[in-house]
Amino acid sequence: METTLRGVGVSHGVAIGEVRHMGTAVLEPPAKQIPAEEAEREQGRARQAVEAVAADLIARGNLAGGEAQHVLEAQAMMAQDPELMADVDRRIAVGSTAERAVYDAFAAYRALLAGAGEYLAGRVADLDDVRNRIVARLLGVPMPGVPDSDEPYVLIARDLAPADTALLDPTLVLGFVTEEGGPTSHSAILARALGVPAVVAMPGAGELVEGTVIAVDGSTGEVFVDPSGEKRAELAKAAEERKALLSAASGPGATSDGHKVPLLANVGGPADVPAAVEAGAEGVGLFRTEFLFLDDSTRAPSEEKQVEAYRKVLEAFPEGRVVVRVLDAGADKPLDFLTPADEPNPALGVRGLRTLLDHPDVLRTQLSALARAAEGLPVYLEVMAPMVADRIDAKAFADACREAGLQAKFGAMVEIPSAALRARSILQEVEFLSLGTNDLAQYTFAADRQVGAVSRLQDPWQPALLDLVAASAEAAKAEGKSCGVCGEAASDPLLACVLTGLGVTSLSMGAASIPYVRAALAKHTLAQCERAAAAARAADTAADARAAAQAVLSGE
């Protein structure tokens, strides 16, 4: 009998196939004592296992490329963390085996992260995966992972580690469903990069019986168990209609009556550029520069290395707009040479622009590198600061840009409610705004973006969040300046129409989402988008907001 389950749709498309579960295993090693004379040997075993796991993660990242590469390189650094390894050595010295020492040291670190207000919950999942890989190697057992199958299937998991998600074969894994995670988790981000339909944060996913046929709609978040022939035909028809729309829509982003909405790409480095160009991105709306700094958490990359990397991205978009976000360090992106290790709540501490203003030499070098990288290129360079709270922050950043001789527009990200509420004040110092809806939702609702249990409050359709977007867009319009969205909200085609109706002037997203958003905008007039936006803001819940906007845009 057909039943319908609902989670959070995070990657467009429909997948129909049999359920296969991610392999699981109990990887807690026994607690037993070793003689003192074996300690040195066990410490050597632990180091060898750590280095092997780190090398494997880096190799997987090199194969996957793009966003996945940066995620897996960060995991490799996590495995080699010197404080963790010192703790492992101490535990072995007092009698633990290598595998038990690794297990307990990681457990202690995990508890510290959880005690930091759970902001790092997403990184805790990554930490668990690293621990399991090291322990499995020491025990001589295979890591649980993606099931072997000759036939395509839908993958079900409690959550997916980046190392597994990055190398999924889209010809075999038709789509996936996870019990945990959220719309901005690594699983969701990598699913969109792969173009695999996905639903996360779905209660009861683990109870689906192996071999059961399910249909996954990554756009709506619905999962149909034992779908009827009629339902399959309905989903297939919808998929064909989407495909036809994608083929028909081309060129710059615009509504059906010609209102231009530039569609830009979010990139993490040069490896992401080919997909953005192929998708027809009109430029880059968010160039995350952290990838350069994650290579070595103990020191900043040289100015020369930065110039080389930035120029590769800038060269790919002649006459296009490239918006670069300066280093966003802190919280879930700690760097040993910049961020304090003992902050009680890193999410509310020294992160983003605050970190850079505390280390002006790092900011100065990055701005100088950007200035040099853009020399002689016909590109419209714009540089923005993360985590701007008020006009004082905005002025400090603009002053730093001018002092570095940067010939570019200076902007501020709106990720903190205070910035949205006082956007007009901030725009006295900078020339544009860019809304980071992921963090803006997190701080508006006090809901960690990595915790599946509060994913309801991370829904970008929340009317309160739409109010903050509207306030920012209205302020920018009043000042004659631009206000874009570079958070994951822009990748939802229906929400993209609503954002346009709220007054947002550009949309930036993962490359895979650009064709869907382009097609959706091309179907509707600006007036329809504005009516849909008003209807969404008048609702009381995220679900009602989506339904209200859908009703307007479908003519119901």
Side-chain angles (χ1 to χ4, degrees):
M1 179 179 175
E2 180 181 311
T3 57
T4 303
L5 304 174
R6 182 177 287 277
V8 178
V10 295
S11 184
H12 304 299
V14 172
I16 302 175
E18 292 188 359
V19 164
R20 293 286 183 275
H21 284 271
M22 191 80 170
T24 57
V26 177
L27 288 175
E28 180 173 357
K32 62 179 183 181
Q33 292 292 108
I34 59 168
E37 60 268 21
E38 292 184 16
E40 188 174 345
R41 179 178 67 85
E42 290 294 289
Q43 288 169 341
R45 286 182 64 228
R47 282 191 290 275
Q48 287 174 0
V50 165
E51 291 304 320
V53 166
D56 178 61
L57 289 168
I58 290 171
R60 285 170 177 256
N62 290 337
L63 281 173
E67 183 77 34
Q69 184 171 6
H70 313 321
V71 172
L72 294 178
E73 286 174 351
Q75 267 198 297
M77 287 172 56
M78 190 181 282
Q80 296 169 305
D81 183 275
E83 288 189 18
L84 264 173
M85 284 311 301
D87 191 17
V88 169
D89 283 344
R90 282 194 295 270
R91 291 172 187 274
I92 293 174
V94 296
S96 283
T97 61
E99 47 266 39
R100 188 70 210 192
V102 168
Y103 187 88
D104 289 341
F106 273 73
Y109 191 43
R110 191 184 200 282
L112 284 176
L113 295 185
E118 287 195 291
Y119 182 81
L120 303 182
R123 304 297 81 77
V124 165
D126 294 355
L127 186 73
D128 288 347
D129 179 58
V130 171
R131 176 202 64 201
N132 287 345
R133 290 177 187 279
I134 298 171
V135 171
R137 183 171 286 272
L138 286 165
L139 291 174
V141 300
M143 260 297 292
V146 177
D148 289 328
S149 176
D150 295 328
E151 298 297 324
Y153 59 90
V154 177
L155 182 62
I156 308 295
R158 182 182 64 81
D159 201 353
L160 280 172
D164 293 316
T165 314
L167 296 182
L168 290 179
D169 181 350
T171 63
L172 284 177
V173 181
L174 302 173
F176 68 76
V177 179
T178 66
E179 198 153 354
E180 298 182 1
T184 58
S185 66
H186 280 152
S187 296
I189 291 169
L190 296 181
R192 285 188 286 273
L194 288 167
V196 176
V199 172
V200 301
M202 194 187 85
E207 297 170 16
L208 291 169
V209 177
E210 188 92 2
T212 302
V213 174
I214 63 172
V216 178
D217 190 329
S219 300
T220 66
E222 293 172 306
V223 174
F224 305 95
V225 182
D226 290 323
S228 64
E230 184 180 354
K231 175 56 72 175
R232 293 191 194 199
E234 178 187 324
L235 290 169
K237 182 181 177 183
E240 282 301 314
E241 289 174 351
R242 286 188 194 127
K243 188 175 180 181
L245 283 171
L246 293 180
S247 301
S250 61
T255 59
S256 62
D257 56 341
H259 175 72
K260 292 183 179 179
V261 188
L263 302 181
L264 312 171
N266 294 343
V267 304
D272 294 334
V273 167
V277 172
E278 185 179 349
E282 297 168 59
V284 172
L286 173 62
F287 178 6
R288 306 180 187 93
T289 56
E290 292 79 59
F291 80 102
L292 272 173
F293 292 79
L294 292 173
D295 287 345
D296 183 353
S297 70
T298 63
R299 61 181 178 177
S302 68
E303 185 172 324
E304 293 301 324
K305 183 176 181 180
Q306 292 187 55
V307 170
E308 181 183 357
Y310 301 152
R311 195 169 178 90
K312 285 178 182 176
V313 175
L314 296 174
E315 286 174 336
F317 295 96
E319 305 296 335
R321 176 186 179 200
V322 176
V323 184
V324 179
R325 180 178 71 191
V326 293
L327 176 63
D328 184 14
D332 62 340
K333 290 170 281 193
L335 292 170
D336 293 345
F337 69 96
L338 279 183
T339 49
D342 56 351
E343 280 194 290
N345 191 337
L348 302 178
V350 181
R351 62 167 294 199
L353 180 60
R354 299 168 190 174
T355 302
L356 292 174
L357 294 178
D358 278 355
H359 297 81
D361 54 323
V362 175
L363 177 58
R364 191 181 308 112
T365 299
Q366 185 169 26
L367 294 174
S368 176
L370 285 166
R372 289 176 55 197
E375 284 177 3
L377 295 181
V379 65
Y380 298 97
L381 175 64
E382 302 185 9
V383 182
M384 63 185 180
M387 301 301 293
V388 171
D390 57 15
R391 183 172 178 173
I392 292 173
D393 279 352
K395 184 179 188 306
F397 178 65
D399 287 346
C401 289
R402 281 187 283 267
E403 288 169 12
L406 194 61
Q407 299 298 310
K409 284 187 176 182
F410 318 141
M413 290 198 71
V414 177
E415 301 164 282
I416 303 173
S418 64
L421 294 171
R422 300 289 293 172
R424 198 160 182 179
S425 171
I426 287 172
L427 284 165
Q428 304 310 304
E429 304 294 343
V430 295
E431 298 171 82
F432 69 93
L433 300 177
S434 184
L435 289 142
T437 51
N438 305 342
D439 268 323
L440 186 57
Q442 172 171 255
Y443 290 118
T444 299
F445 297 103
D448 190 323
R449 57 190 281 191
Q450 300 292 344
V451 177
V454 292
S455 61
R456 174 181 74 83
L457 297 170
Q458 266 292 327
D459 191 326
W461 282 94
Q462 285 284 356
L465 187 66
L466 299 180
D467 287 344
L468 292 175
V469 173
S472 302
E474 288 164 7
K477 183 177 181 180
E479 293 295 327
K481 296 179 178 180
S482 63
C483 176
V485 169
C486 63
E488 293 299 321
S491 64
D492 179 336
L494 180 61
L495 186 51
C497 294
V498 167
L499 294 172
T500 298
L502 291 174
V504 165
T505 56
S506 66
L507 298 166
S508 189
M509 64 209 76
S513 298
I514 290 176
Y516 292 91
V517 172
R518 182 188 291 119
L521 286 172
K523 286 174 59 181
H524 305 293
T525 65
L526 176 59
Q528 286 175 314
C529 292
E530 289 172 341
R531 288 197 296 274
R537 287 183 68 189
D540 290 322
T541 69
D544 288 347
R546 172 183 272 277
Q550 181 69 66
V552 170
L553 294 178
S554 62
E556 294 176 8

